[in-house]
Amino acid sequence: MDLDMREVEAVCAALYVQALKILPPDIKAGFKTLVQNETDATGKTILGTMVENIAVAERTKNILCQDTGIPIYNVTIGRNVAFDGAELKAAIRRGCERATKENSLRSSVVHPITRKNDQTSCGIRVPIIHVDFDTREETVGIEMIPKGSGSENGSFLKMLLPSDGIKAAKRFVIDRVVELGGRVCPPTIVGVGLGGTSDLCMHLAKIAATRPLRTVCSDEEGAKIEAELSQAVNELGIGPQGLGGRSTSFAVHVEVAATHITQNPVAVNIQCHSARRALATVTPGGIAFS
Amino acid sequence: MTHHVLDMPIDADTARSLRIGDTVTLRRTLYGIRDATLIHMFDRDRRTRLDLNGHAVIHTAPNVHKVPVSAEAPVGYTPFCIGTTTSMRMERFTRALMEREGVRLIIGKGGMGPATLEAFRDLGGAYLAIVGGAAALETTWIEQIEDIDMDDLHPESLWRFRIRDFGPLLVGMDSHGGSLFADVQDAVAARRDAVLASIGASE
Ligand code: SF4
């Protein structure tokens, strides 16, 4: 399959808009579970408002939240796909820019020093583009994530000592969730990275925070910790918007990587209740959005 | 817990009648402000021709469309997606906003701190919590952008919205020293050690 760059551009534009308007099915299902389990009256009311907002956004074709986020594109390329890598990156960027201009989306991206906003949702190294490969025949997956800033500001890294053990990493996660309270627009997905180098650890936390609900860490030990922490955070009583209740998080997700004998890194990255993601799968048969 | 329907503007006694845990629906008029608006008004002593006396302000980050001036768009803007930003950044302006401009109610997300609570107690005011991130819904409560001032700060201008049944909002802080945010924080801090113990992560 030859990857058509005009098609990639159009898909990347459409994905940004879809992600801002329609929450993925796993998050909608996650809301149902939280509503069922919530015992606090205020918590229940706030969850109800969030669920209503999802329906209103779809009905009025509006975006879910005013924060258009930092655009992230995750591209997964299968077997027997021919493409020019530099062209691919340029096409993704054009798509992101087009979505912003054609839909008068608020550009939330600025230069880090001058704070200048080009009004394109693009800037130096933004959109963030990750390219990976898998074994699917003639298939390209493009996932778009508009990462909201209230929750992105809930990001932390700590290079613990090996002698601190996993215990200290668990405590670090709980203490960060306590510290953040309602600021990160709970209910959240708490993304946790364990291991790797400092940069990989932070990246693992982002993968974890943006992983679909009901998926499980592929490492058995990581899976145990995510189950344990998922239960524990909802015992804290922070609740939706930090106003009390059980529904502090949809889940805690953990991703792991091997690390150095002298290191014990832990990272936290939060996804808010506007846990937006959109995916397009490109094959010779056409494009499917999900 | 009481539900209040308030036709804005209101007086100090009405503001004092709100208690944490109550719910509120606002009618008629609402003003939108944000960081830059407040910095210009109070750090640079800029005055507005709009009358905020007795009114509610919302910490907002509006997405608007620029359109030709018409009956529906008296100042050339229509609302597209109007949401709420984190209030805590604007903590140091509460007292000035109330004393100089006569503001009674602040709407935002995440709550505010002790300086705001003190100003509410001294002057009669309350903080109304809105659900952060529920902007599509919030936008349906806004009928029109009626007026605007300091639009050189766009989008951090001073906005006047005509509203229709804006709410329900939750009284998060009141004039009697009550703060739901502080209450929840205390309760969470009290539970922390037991939660850590339950996963074998105590100090
Ligand atoms: S943290 Fe998420 S839900 Fe809250 S305002 Fe930002 S993008 Fe919206």
Side-chain angles (χ1 to χ4, degrees):
Chain A
M1 174 174 80
D2 277 322
L3 203 52
D4 176 348
M5 291 308 162
R6 271 170 319 186
E7 198 167 273
V8 169
E9 177 184 328
V11 165
C12 287
L15 278 173
Y16 196 175
V17 178
Q18 182 186 320
L20 290 174
K21 292 184 172 177
I22 302 166
L23 276 189
D26 60 294
I27 305 296
K28 290 185 189 168
F31 267 111
K32 277 203 184 120
T33 311
L34 290 182
V35 169
Q36 274 160 18
N37 296 338
E38 185 53 76
T39 47
D40 184 276
T42 304
K44 248 193 189 330
T45 310
I46 294 175
L47 289 176
T49 304
M50 289 169 177
V51 171
E52 193 184 345
N53 184 62
I54 297 167
V56 170
E58 286 184 20
R59 197 176 65 230
T60 59
K61 300 195 164 40
N62 204 344
I63 60 178
L64 290 147
C65 180
Q66 77 285 347
D67 184 3
T68 47
I70 288 238
I72 304 174
Y73 288 90
N74 296 321
V75 186
T76 312
I77 296 172
R79 284 185 171 139
N80 292 312
V81 180
F83 68 100
D84 178 317
E87 280 295 320
L88 174 64
K89 285 173 103 172
I92 294 172
R93 197 182 175 91
R94 283 197 306 274
C96 180
E97 190 168 336
R98 227 173 90 185
T100 309
K101 291 201 164 144
E102 288 173 4
N103 299 281
S104 45
L105 300 177
R106 184 184 89 181
S107 168
S108 308
V109 174
V110 295
H111 186 280
I113 301 163
T114 64
R115 309 304 291 181
K116 188 173 170 287
N117 187 331
D118 288 338
Q119 308 298 340
T120 57
S121 299
C122 298
I124 303 170
R125 294 186 160 129
V126 172
I128 298 167
I129 300 171
H130 296 295
V131 180
D132 202 354
F133 302 92
D134 67 7
T135 55
R136 291 179 295 176
E137 277 299 321
E138 297 192 89
T139 304
V140 173
I142 306 177
E143 182 188 47
M144 197 283 157
I145 297 170
K147 186 63 178 66
S149 175
S151 55
E152 186 65 14
N153 279 331
S155 301
F156 307 90
L157 171 75
K158 179 131 184 150
M159 302 305 280
L160 293 163
L161 301 176
S163 63
D164 295 331
I166 190 65
K167 186 179 157 182
K170 290 197 264 184
R171 189 161 63 232
F172 182 78
V173 174
I174 296 291
D175 281 343
R176 297 297 74 74
V177 172
V178 168
E179 176 187 324
L180 289 169
R183 255 184 296 160
V184 284
C185 280
T188 59
I189 302 169
V190 180
V192 177
L194 295 173
T197 50
S198 58
D199 56 332
L200 178 55
C201 193
M202 215 54 243
H203 185 55
L204 292 173
K206 170 69 89 282
I207 295 173
T210 54
R211 220 177 69 199
L213 292 175
R214 301 204 160 276
T215 55
V216 177
C217 177
S218 56
D219 178 74
E220 210 180 304
E221 293 304 318
K224 272 188 220 160
I225 291 172
E226 73 183 5
E228 206 176 31
L229 287 175
S230 290
Q231 261 219 313
V233 287
N234 286 345
E235 298 298 331
L236 288 166
I238 296 167
Q241 295 287 298
L243 283 162
R246 290 195 53 81
S247 315
T248 302
S249 298
F250 293 102
V252 178
H253 287 170
V254 172
E255 288 290 318
V256 303
T259 192
H260 190 273
I261 45 174
T262 63
Q263 291 173 8
N264 184 16
V266 53
V268 171
N269 180 252
I270 308 279
Q271 177 62 299
C272 55
H273 73 83
S274 218
R276 301 163 292 181
R277 284 189 336 258
L279 178 72
T281 309
V282 185
T283 59
I287 305 160
F289 287 88
S290 57
Chain B
M1 268 171 252
T2 317
H3 182 68
H4 309 258
V5 178
L6 304 179
D7 287 313
M8 304 309 292
I10 57 166
D11 59 16
D13 286 345
T14 309
R16 285 188 194 280
S17 73
L18 307 177
R19 299 274 179 166
I20 51 169
D22 286 357
T23 50
V24 176
T25 299
L26 302 182
R27 285 188 178 156
R28 289 192 195 151
T29 306
L30 172 66
Y31 286 92
I33 53 164
R34 208 192 155 94
D35 310 64
T37 339
L38 291 164
I39 289 167
H40 279 253
M41 282 172 82
F42 299 105
D43 290 352
R44 307 196 186 160
D45 203 32
R46 216 168 135 179
R47 301 296 165 131
T48 173
R49 60 180 174 78
L50 300 179
D51 179 13
L52 273 61
N53 196 20
H55 279 285
V57 296
I58 183 165
H59 293 145
T60 188
N63 289 249
V64 294
H65 290 305
K66 198 159 178 50
V67 296
V69 171
S70 68
E72 279 85 68
V75 286
Y77 290 112
T78 54
F80 153 41
C81 185
I82 297 182
T84 307
T85 191
T86 305
S87 300
M88 200 56 206
R89 295 195 308 271
M90 287 156 279
E91 167 80 351
R92 71 183 172 92
F93 298 108
T94 306
R95 182 171 290 272
L97 201 51
M98 293 181 74
E99 271 176 351
R100 197 181 87 188
E101 302 293 336
V103 166
R104 290 279 166 220
L105 303 174
I106 296 179
I107 305 172
K109 71 161 173 139
M112 300 182 79
T116 294
L117 213 49
E118 222 170 85
F120 288 161
R121 196 197 310 247
D122 296 347
L123 304 161
Y127 180 87
L128 310 178
I130 200 163
V131 177
L137 177 63
E138 198 177 319
T139 305
T140 64
W141 300 338
I142 296 198
E143 280 186 336
Q144 188 183 77
I145 296 170
E146 272 186 340
D147 207 346
I148 195 165
D149 194 16
M150 307 201 273
D151 202 24
D152 54 303
L153 306 176
H154 191 94
E156 299 186 62
S157 327
L158 181 61
W159 303 87
R160 191 169 86 203
F161 305 118
R162 192 175 77 214
I163 51 171
R164 171 171 52 95
D165 294 335
F166 197 93
L169 310 168
L170 179 69
V171 180
M173 299 165 70
D174 64 23
S175 311
H176 313 280
S179 167
L180 284 181
F181 299 93
D183 292 353
V184 172
Q185 270 159 22
D186 291 348
V188 170
R191 285 198 198 105
R192 171 192 176 262
D193 289 354
V195 170
L196 288 179
S198 76
I199 54 170
S202 300
E203 260 123 333

